Amino acid sequence: MIGRVIDVRSTTIRVALEVGARGFTKVGPDGLQTVGVVNSYITVPAGAHRVVGIVTAVYISGRQESKDRVELLSQDDTAAYELEATVVGRFEGDTFKSGLTGYPPLHAPVQAAAPLQVKNIFHPKGGPTLRIGTSAVATEQSVYLDANLLLGHHCAVVGSTGSGKSCTVTAIIDGLLDHAIPNGHIVIFDINGEYAQSFPASRGRGKKTRPLILGPRPGTSSGLFLPHWFMNNEEHLTLFRASEGVQAPVLQRSIADARVAGASTNTELLRLQNVLSSVAIIEGAFSNTRTGSDTSFAQLVGLQTLVDGQVSQTSACSAQWTQIKRILDVGIPQAGVQNVEWTPLTAPQRDVLARMFVKIRSHIQAALGILGMGSAHAAPDFDAPVYYSLQDLCDIFLPNRIQLEQSADNKIAGYVATLQMRLSRLLADGRYDFITRVEKHSDPLGSYLKALMGVDPTGGKSDSEWPAADAYRAQVATHGSGPSVTIFDLSLVANDVLENVTALLGRVLFDFAVRSDPRAEHPLLLVLEEAHRFIPSQRELSGSGSRSAAVFERIAKEGRKFGLSLLLASQRPSELSETVVAQCGTVIAHRLTHEADQSLLRHATALSSRALLDQLPSLAQQHALVTGVSTGVPVAVRVRDVDDPPKSDDPDFMSTWGDAEKLPGLADHIDQVVKDWQGDAPSN
């Protein structure tokens, strides 16, 4: 016994230490024990169980003696030694369980937790465990986390720059690799290009896994590409910044039109659009008071030729083409338009042509409906990941849809002009070619998901159409039989499109998990480095939030039941979405000095853990506080050492600056960086 309870509160107990324990060590049945050290553990009887507390503070308070006693006493004799502990759970027999069923009475005897009890606290029973490190107080005692609870309830690793976050993420992966998990799947979003070096093929972690590095230079040759046709409706609207009033509906129908054409032959569609274009040109000549007859004559001759050729072919819209031919055969002679320069169309000619065009447009609308592109017909699924050409969307389908909608509102073209400009600018920007100019290939979505999940996207075929087949084959030559680790090196992705990329990747993985049957058949761990970049807390002035944040908030709330787990790493947790932080069942907190970051964790963690978070500003490198469902109690831990850590070490400025031999190579270094930076850009 080291003392007795003198104060009991809802989350804390206060203990008066005995004389023999004041030296902060005591000899007992289990040998010499440390007493009253912050982060050590105590036990107190409470009915049939023993309450477990973690020491959070130690005090020395003076003791008042009666005035009539005049004795020469030492400071130790006149001082009372006390400690305060946060209650974290209970022992039922030898089994530790979180939560309380009762509180200890006053004067209850207090004991330091024996080594066997500490071991039972740090080594969860009932399932596979993950060794995260050793106790910061009992350095000989390893600390384990419940692997299923860690993965099933998400995990956040937070801490200031240089505190050891990336190594902790790697330590968690190493802890998972301590088990035989050949069907494991890990996807890492690496924004700083740190993790590629952690999975060398010739070293331990690389031999235990099947790593695939995609990037860093965006493009099909490196495997870092993301076809634009994978985007759903919301992602299209976000990337093109289409306003809700007019631009969004027009863009939606244009993309639906393009998907239909992309999924089948678009020859007939192009001819229908040609007819509409010729009609528009002739109608434009109606208001020309100086000329018009020659232009209209040429267009009518061309129309007649095009329609006659189409009628002779079998097509889905044969009946409509036949009707259009009959209209032209009757209407053109009645109009009597001559090939005469500088002659305007007469009123009777305009009247005949106008009535003819009304009938032609009605049949074109019917034909577009048959092809699935009519305004009055249901469009295909806006979210279906079906191929379409973004260039054709810009050049053909969007202008055609604008022309069709002009009949209802002649201001449509003006409303959509900025959208057309943004789309053209996006296509002209080579930084986005890895999204906007991915060529059509067989089974694009299936191949992409197979690559992410560690399955051969080429199907073992030497003539595979998968764009990154060569990069894949080069990396898998040394693969063993361990879990797949797919690393997206996003370090060179343009910042203004990074959110769109991560949102799309996250949503594709989530949709795959949701659609999998049976549910959670192939669980996946998604690691987000610098997660505050993907899941920001800020909201736009309109009240809408980040598209990427919305995706990962949904994964945080619903991903567990579908087998999709998040492992977040961030140096600024206060800039993370509070929704996501609150959904993380386990928090591993390294040194944090900013009050806002500490405050967020206090609100996001269990009540019993909050007193421990006062230690955050003073934690040493590689040390952390672990709280949550995967650990029996909040624990101060020294994270295990890792080989081949991520490339996140602080640079050695003074050593590098003092190396005179590096200076002559600076010019070549700059030239190489500039060459890689400019890529294939032409030089002046």
Side-chain angles (χ1 to χ4, degrees):
M1 187 177 74
I2 63 171
R4 293 188 177 275
V5 175
I6 59 173
D7 185 42
V8 179
R9 303 182 184 235
S10 59
T11 59
T12 61
I13 58 175
R14 200 176 180 100
V15 178
L17 295 178
E18 287 192 340
V19 173
R22 291 179 181 179
F24 300 105
T25 58
K26 188 169 183 177
V27 178
D30 297 298
L32 190 65
Q33 292 179 270
T34 302
V35 177
V37 176
V38 172
N39 292 330
S40 62
Y41 295 88
I42 61 172
T43 66
V44 189
H49 310 310
R50 294 191 68 83
V51 169
V52 177
I54 180 170
V55 177
T56 55
V58 182
Y59 304 90
I60 297 179
S61 58
R63 185 174 60 196
Q64 295 293 329
E65 298 289 344
S66 59
K67 292 183 179 181
D68 58 347
R69 295 183 61 187
V70 182
E71 298 181 14
L72 187 60
L73 300 175
S74 69
Q75 183 179 3
D76 282 343
D77 292 327
T78 61
Y81 288 69
E82 300 174 2
L83 63 81
E84 188 172 290
T86 299
V87 291
V88 293
R90 68 194 187 278
F91 274 112
E92 294 185 359
D94 293 331
T95 303
F96 175 82
K97 294 184 178 180
S98 299
L100 298 181
T101 58
Y103 287 88
L106 292 174
H107 301 295
V110 178
Q111 293 181 332
L116 181 59
Q117 291 175 320
V118 174
K119 182 178 180 180
N120 288 338
I121 292 172
F122 290 158
H123 201 306
K125 293 183 175 62
T129 59
L130 179 157
R131 187 173 71 86
I132 187 65
T134 56
S135 168
V137 175
T139 55
E140 74 286 351
Q141 178 60 58
S142 294
V143 177
Y144 294 84
L145 307 179
D146 186 304
N148 281 323
L149 291 178
L150 176 81
L151 297 174
H153 294 265
H154 312 303
C155 175
V157 179
V158 298
S160 301
T161 300
S163 60
K165 296 186 306 300
S166 298
C167 288
T168 298
V169 171
T170 309
I172 291 174
I173 294 175
D174 283 347
L176 295 173
L177 296 178
D178 290 340
H179 301 271
I181 50 172
N183 190 41
H185 307 285
I186 301 172
V187 175
I188 302 175
F189 287 2
D190 182 10
I191 198 172
N192 293 321
E194 298 178 353
Y195 282 86
Q197 74 169 28
S198 296
F199 294 86
S202 60
R203 304 278 301 226
R205 196 177 300 113
K207 291 180 178 179
K208 290 182 180 179
T209 58
R210 291 177 287 129
L212 178 64
I213 316 298
L214 305 178
R217 182 173 293 279
T220 53
S221 61
S222 71
L224 184 56
F225 68 95
L226 194 56
H228 63 270
W229 64 86
F230 285 3
M231 292 190 294
N232 63 16
N233 179 54
E234 291 183 0
E235 288 153 358
H236 275 109
L237 299 182
T238 301
L239 180 63
F240 302 139
R241 300 198 300 277
S243 60
E244 294 182 0
V246 174
Q247 293 181 354
V250 172
L251 178 64
Q252 287 172 326
R253 288 309 303 252
S254 301
I255 293 173
D257 295 347
R259 289 197 195 277
V260 171
S264 60
T265 177
N266 60 356
T267 302
E268 191 166 15
L269 174 64
L270 292 175
R271 287 176 178 168
L272 288 169
Q273 292 170 335
N274 271 332
V275 173
L276 287 173
S277 297
S278 293
V279 167
I281 291 172
I282 298 172
E283 288 177 332
F286 284 6
S287 58
N288 194 327
T289 58
R290 295 187 179 182
T291 184
S293 289
D294 55 340
T295 300
S296 300
F297 178 85
Q299 291 298 325
L300 289 171
V301 171
L303 267 179
Q304 189 85 61
T305 303
L306 185 150
V307 173
D308 287 346
Q310 182 64 36
V311 167
S312 64
Q313 301 179 19
T314 302
S315 68
C317 306
S318 294
Q320 285 71 32
W321 285 112
T322 300
Q323 291 300 320
I324 293 173
K325 174 175 170 53
R326 290 174 181 170
I327 294 170
L328 292 175
D329 288 345
V330 173
I332 290 178
Q334 288 182 355
V337 178
Q338 301 297 315
N339 187 17
V340 181
E341 293 184 0
W342 310 112
T343 302
L345 293 171
T346 64
Q349 287 175 325
R350 294 196 300 270
D351 179 65
V352 172
L353 293 173
R355 287 185 285 111
M356 182 174 70
F357 292 159
V358 169
K359 296 176 183 178
I360 289 175
R361 278 201 173 95
S362 68
H363 291 295
I364 289 178
Q365 288 289 353
L368 291 173
I370 292 172
L371 296 177
M373 287 177 251
S375 296
H377 295 77
D381 184 358
F382 287 133
D383 291 343
V386 176
Y387 170 81
Y388 75 92
S389 166
L390 200 59
Q391 190 69 58
D392 286 350
L393 175 69
C394 181
D395 297 341
I396 300 172
F397 298 103
L398 184 56
N400 179 62
R401 177 54 56 181
I402 294 171
Q403 191 175 25
L404 289 174
E405 301 296 339
Q406 282 278 91
S407 59
D409 185 347
N410 58 11
K411 297 181 181 179
I412 290 289
Y415 294 148
V416 186
T418 55
L419 174 64
Q420 289 180 290
M421 181 178 65
R422 283 195 295 269
L423 181 54
S424 297
R425 190 169 57 193
L426 187 71
L427 283 166
D429 194 332
R431 295 178 302 164
Y432 307 135
D433 284 354
F434 73 107
I435 299 175
T436 60
R437 297 191 183 277
V438 179
E439 296 296 329
K440 184 179 182 180
H441 52 281
S442 61
D443 190 24
L445 182 59
S447 300
Y448 204 88
L449 287 171
K450 288 174 183 175
L452 295 188
M453 300 294 287
V455 179
D456 186 354
T458 70
K461 299 177 182 178
S462 59
D463 59 347
S464 171
E465 294 182 0
W466 196 58
D470 291 340
Y472 176 81
R473 294 190 189 100
Q475 294 190 50
V476 302
T478 58
H479 277 182
S481 58
S484 68
V485 179
T486 305
I487 301 173
F488 281 94
D489 187 338
L490 304 171
S491 56
L492 297 182
V493 173
N495 189 61
D496 55 350
V497 80
L498 178 64
E499 179 186 330
N500 302 93
V501 171
T502 55
L504 178 50
L505 284 170
R507 198 266 306 163
V508 167
L509 289 172
F510 181 70
D511 279 358
F512 170 73
V514 170
R515 294 170 185 270
S516 295
D517 187 23
R519 178 183 289 184
E521 181 76 356
H522 297 282
L524 182 144
L525 172 63
L526 180 55
V527 181
L528 304 183
E529 264 288 352
E530 304 292 353
H532 53 276
R533 296 282 301 276
F534 309 139
I535 323 173
S537 61
Q538 293 90 347
R539 296 285 171 176
E540 296 176 1
L541 296 177
S542 62
S544 61
S546 157
R547 173 63 192 157
S548 182
V551 168
F552 290 109
E553 283 177 359
R554 188 181 178 196
I555 292 175
K557 290 184 285 188
E558 304 175 28
R560 176 184 61 83
K561 56 191 174 186
F562 298 111
L564 184 55
S565 177
L566 291 177
L567 173 55
L568 314 177
S570 175
Q571 59 182 287
R572 288 306 309 272
S574 61
E575 295 181 6
L576 272 171
S577 163
E578 292 186 25
T579 299
V580 174
V581 176
Q583 293 294 328
C584 289
T586 300
V587 175
I588 302 176
H590 289 271
R591 182 180 66 253
L592 283 172
T593 56
H594 200 284
E595 179 59 33
D597 297 329
Q598 299 173 37
S599 177
L600 178 69
L601 291 188
R602 288 190 181 94
H603 287 87
T605 55
L607 187 64
S608 62
S609 306
R610 293 180 185 175
L612 301 175
L613 299 181
D614 291 337
Q615 304 175 40
L616 287 177
S618 58
L619 287 176
Q621 188 179 38
Q622 205 175 343
H623 285 67
L625 298 177
V626 184
T627 68
V629 297
S630 65
T631 177
V633 295
V635 56
V637 62
R638 183 191 181 278
V639 178
R640 63 191 285 182
D641 296 323
V642 297
D643 296 325
D644 301 309
K647 189 169 53 179
S648 57
D649 295 339
D650 294 333
D652 189 343
F653 278 83
M654 299 306 296
S655 175
T656 302
W657 284 351
D659 188 353
E661 294 181 0
K662 285 183 175 289
L663 188 57
L666 179 57
D668 291 340
H669 175 75
I670 293 173
D671 289 341
Q672 184 61 48
V673 170
V674 170
K675 180 179 178 181
D676 293 339
W677 193 344
Q678 292 179 333
D680 298 327
S683 57
N684 294 328

